[in-house]
Structure formats: C-alpha cells, structure tokens
C-alpha cells in the first residue's frame, strides 16, 4: 500500500533526524491507517513505543491524540 510506505518513510526520516515530534505525528497517521485495516496489535505496539519515549509535553495536541488512540486500542 502506497500510503503505508509513505508513513514508514516519514517515520524513518524523523528517526534519522531524531525528531520525535515528527515521528509521533507520522506514527499516529500510520496508526489510523492500521486501525482501518484491523491491525490493532501492530498499531498499539508501534504507537506505544513512540509515545513512551516522551517525558514531558503531555499537554500538546499530538501527545494527547496519541494517548487517546492508545486508550482506544486498549491493553495488549
């Protein structure tokens, strides 16, 4: 799927630049796609890895959205 490949490329680019906020945004977008495809386990694991890296800034829109998605996906 072309969209999925683009999200993976964005995540990798963000990692190379050590841009965690951009990685989170791309990961959240990929998460939405995977949810539509029923890949909830992969979506939860990938997003949790990125989200758990953060130690501050939890009042930002991006981290609030990621937290809401993780809560929606539930526990593993």
């Amino acid at each position: 799927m072309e969209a999925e490949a683009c999200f993976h490329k964005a995540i990798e680019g963000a990692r190379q630049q050590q841009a965690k906020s951009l990685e989170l945004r791309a990961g959240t977008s990929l998460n939405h796609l995977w949810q539509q495809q029923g890949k909830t386990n992969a979506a939860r694991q990938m997003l949790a890895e990125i989200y758990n890296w953060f130690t501050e800034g939890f009042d930002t829109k991006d981290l609030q959205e990621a937290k809401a998605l993780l809560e929606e996906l539930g526990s593993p």
Side-chain angles (χ1 to χ4, degrees):
M1 174 172 262
E2 190 173 331
E4 185 172 345
C6 288
F7 290 136
H8 281 292
K9 186 175 180 177
I11 291 168
E12 185 57 34
R15 285 180 181 162
Q16 289 175 357
Q17 296 175 32
Q18 298 179 350
K20 282 295 184 182
S21 293
L22 295 177
E23 184 179 350
L24 180 67
R25 282 188 182 191
T28 299
S29 296
L30 180 58
N31 186 285
H32 285 295
L33 177 65
W34 280 354
Q35 277 187 284
Q36 293 172 357
Q37 296 173 347
K39 299 178 181 178
T40 56
N41 288 336
R44 181 187 320 102
Q45 181 179 358
M46 182 270 309
L47 190 58
E49 287 176 13
I50 299 169
Y51 181 83
N52 289 333
W53 182 88
F54 288 88
T55 59
E56 58 185 36
F58 293 103
D59 57 340
T60 64
K61 183 182 178 215
D62 290 335
L63 284 171
Q64 289 176 352
E65 182 180 357
K67 181 181 180 183
L69 285 170
L70 288 169
E71 289 172 354
E72 185 179 318
L73 291 168
S75 302

